[in-house]
Amino acid sequence: MKLKNFLLVVLSIAGSVTSFAQSNLLNAKTPAEIGKKTAAQLESDNDKPLPYGYVHDRDVLMGKTVWELVDLDERINFPLYYPVDTAFVGKDRRSLFSVLLNGIKSGKITEVYGDDYFNSKKSIKDMESVFKFIDTTDAGKDEMNNYLDDYKAGRKVLDKQFINETELAASDVTGYKIKGFWYFDKRQSELKYRMLAICPVAIEARDKAKGNTDAIELFWVYFPSIRDVLHEAKAFNDKNSAMPITFDHLLNSRRFNGVIYKEENVYGDREIEKYMRDNAQMQLLESERVKEKIRNFEQDMWNY
């Protein structure tokens, strides 16, 4: 009897999760109705990101700001990268970069900055050259030189075949840089982590057009201000597609692998590679040392 009750509970949870994954999937009469919640679902939903608890400055016994690099070539980080081609997936599946870019273009994401200390704010107009680069081909330049007077006078307009448009795509993103704060909450006697900012690392559209493969920081977004946008977007769950993970949950629960490349320090927060030059192995060991230093502080709290 207990087993029967247990199975009923599991089935009811699975049913609610399925409706959360793709609303109205089994009841839709047309593809347009898939993903649209019924009036009853909308009324009963309280689908919001879990709010952060208030932390008083006096409760922070120890704190350390660190910067991490999330490499999208690692399998564990694939949910942040895929899908890169949206032509063959549903509208509910987008990569993290697409979610951030669409949020910036639609105005839902406004806290966008040019640096990780939030000194210079950026707008979508300021970053147009980052996302799209328009250039004239060599044949187009020859065409303009041959009929220079006509083009100057406006009698001729350069044909589209002589113009190259290069756009930044989700497939061009190689990783993410993440700024976060590790702190020990003495009120709860627990080591905690709070993500502060996230930055996509990719090849700029101009560099992409010219064949340059050097990835740069595109923009920094203040993470607490975009939690609602990330909560609406779902990352694919390979173990159970009926239970997708929100990007907000995925990032806050640290379901990714990152390597520390910088910590706040007296030397102007210099990066590890600045003092561990030309030695990748030593840089990784130094990254682990910083991580172990944070862990040891929590362990030392329980030693007398």
Side-chain angles (χ1 to χ4, degrees), residues 126-178:
D126 299 330
M127 298 183 290
E128 283 181 352
S129 61
V130 174
F131 302 131
K132 180 183 285 190
F133 177 68
I134 301 175
D135 193 18
T136 306
T137 63
D138 293 337
K141 292 175 183 177
D142 293 337
E143 169 75 10
M144 292 183 69
N145 290 330
N146 293 333
Y147 303 95
L148 187 60
D149 294 336
D150 291 336
Y151 281 108
K152 283 185 176 181
R155 291 189 292 269
K156 291 194 71 173
V157 178
L158 192 63
D159 194 84
K160 289 184 178 180
Q161 64 176 330
F162 299 122
I163 298 175
N164 279 337
E165 288 190 11
T166 306
E167 291 192 23
L168 191 68
S171 58
D172 298 320
V173 180
T174 60
Y176 288 93
K177 288 186 176 181
I178 290 175

Side-chain angles (χ1 to χ4, degrees), residues 20-270:
F20 169 77
Q22 287 184 316
S23 302
N24 209 32
L25 175 64
L26 302 180
N27 301 317
K29 296 180 179 178
T30 63
E33 296 179 3
I34 298 176
K36 293 184 178 180
K37 296 184 178 182
T38 63
Q41 286 176 319
L42 291 172
E43 186 177 350
S44 62
D45 273 354
N46 186 19
D47 194 17
K48 294 181 180 179
L50 187 67
Y52 292 142
Y54 177 76
V55 181
H56 199 285
D57 291 342
R58 290 178 297 183
D59 295 332
V60 179
L61 189 61
M62 182 278 297
K64 171 69 73 174
T65 304
V66 296
W67 288 258
E68 297 173 88
L69 177 62
V70 179
D71 189 355
L72 295 182
D73 282 336
E74 296 186 36
R75 185 174 294 275
I76 191 175
N77 299 327
F78 280 179
L80 299 174
Y81 180 67
Y82 290 101
V84 293
D85 188 356
T86 58
F88 303 102
V89 295
K91 295 181 180 180
D92 57 328
R93 290 191 59 190
R94 292 293 182 268
S95 64
L96 178 59
F97 178 73
S98 297
V99 173
L100 294 175
L101 185 58
N102 293 336
I104 294 173
K105 289 181 176 179
S106 65
K108 293 182 179 179
I109 297 178
T110 57
E111 298 301 311
V112 185
Y113 297 85
D115 62 289
D116 50 347
Y117 294 98
F118 317 118
N119 292 321
S120 57
K121 202 165 185 180
K122 281 192 171 185
S123 65
I124 188 64
K125 188 176 181 180
D126 299 330
M127 298 183 290
E128 283 181 352
S129 61
V130 174
F131 302 131
K132 180 183 285 190
F133 177 68
I134 301 175
D135 193 18
T136 306
T137 63
D138 293 337
K141 292 175 183 177
D142 293 337
E143 169 75 10
M144 292 183 69
N145 290 330
N146 293 333
Y147 303 95
L148 187 60
D149 294 336
D150 291 336
Y151 281 108
K152 283 185 176 181
R155 291 189 292 269
K156 291 194 71 173
V157 178
L158 192 63
D159 194 84
K160 289 184 178 180
Q161 64 176 330
F162 299 122
I163 298 175
N164 279 337
E165 288 190 11
T166 306
E167 291 192 23
L168 191 68
S171 58
D172 298 320
V173 180
T174 60
Y176 288 93
K177 288 186 176 181
I178 290 175
K179 180 181 180 181
F181 186 69
W182 286 99
Y183 66 97
F184 189 86
D185 191 336
K186 68 179 182 180
R187 183 180 293 273
Q188 299 185 20
S189 299
E190 186 179 356
L191 182 69
K192 295 183 177 181
Y193 176 79
R194 184 72 61 84
M195 190 174 292
L196 299 178
I198 186 169
C199 167
V201 178
I203 305 168
E204 198 173 13
R206 178 188 295 270
D207 293 336
K208 180 182 176 182
K210 297 183 180 297
N212 189 0
T213 57
D214 294 332
I216 63 169
E217 299 176 1
L218 297 183
F219 52 84
W220 284 89
V221 183
Y222 187 62
F223 185 79
S225 68
I226 62 171
R227 292 193 63 206
D228 288 332
V229 176
L230 296 182
H231 184 76
E232 294 175 1
K234 306 295 188 295
F236 184 74
N237 186 354
D238 192 35
K239 295 182 178 179
N240 184 4
S241 60
M243 189 175 181
I245 310 164
T246 67
F247 282 113
D248 176 68
H249 182 196
L250 187 148
L251 293 169
N252 275 306
S253 58
R254 293 188 59 84
R255 298 178 68 164
F256 59 86
N257 182 53
V259 177
I260 296 175
Y261 70 92
K262 184 170 71 169
E263 66 167 330
E264 57 178 352
N265 52 61
V266 70
Y267 303 103
D269 297 347
R270 66 178 179 178

Side-chain angles (χ1 to χ4, degrees), residues 253-301:
S253 58
R254 293 188 59 84
R255 298 178 68 164
F256 59 86
N257 182 53
V259 177
I260 296 175
Y261 70 92
K262 184 170 71 169
E263 66 167 330
E264 57 178 352
N265 52 61
V266 70
Y267 303 103
D269 297 347
R270 66 178 179 178
E271 298 182 9
I272 291 176
E273 66 175 9
K274 299 296 183 182
Y275 60 92
M276 292 286 183
R277 294 181 180 273
D278 303 325
N279 195 327
Q281 183 179 7
M282 292 302 296
Q283 291 173 12
L284 287 174
L285 291 174
E286 177 67 8
S287 175
E288 289 298 318
R289 185 194 67 81
V290 175
K291 190 183 299 183
E292 198 65 26
K293 181 171 63 175
I294 297 171
R295 288 177 182 158
N296 287 341
F297 186 89
E298 182 185 30
Q299 297 297 324
D300 293 342
M301 293 300 299

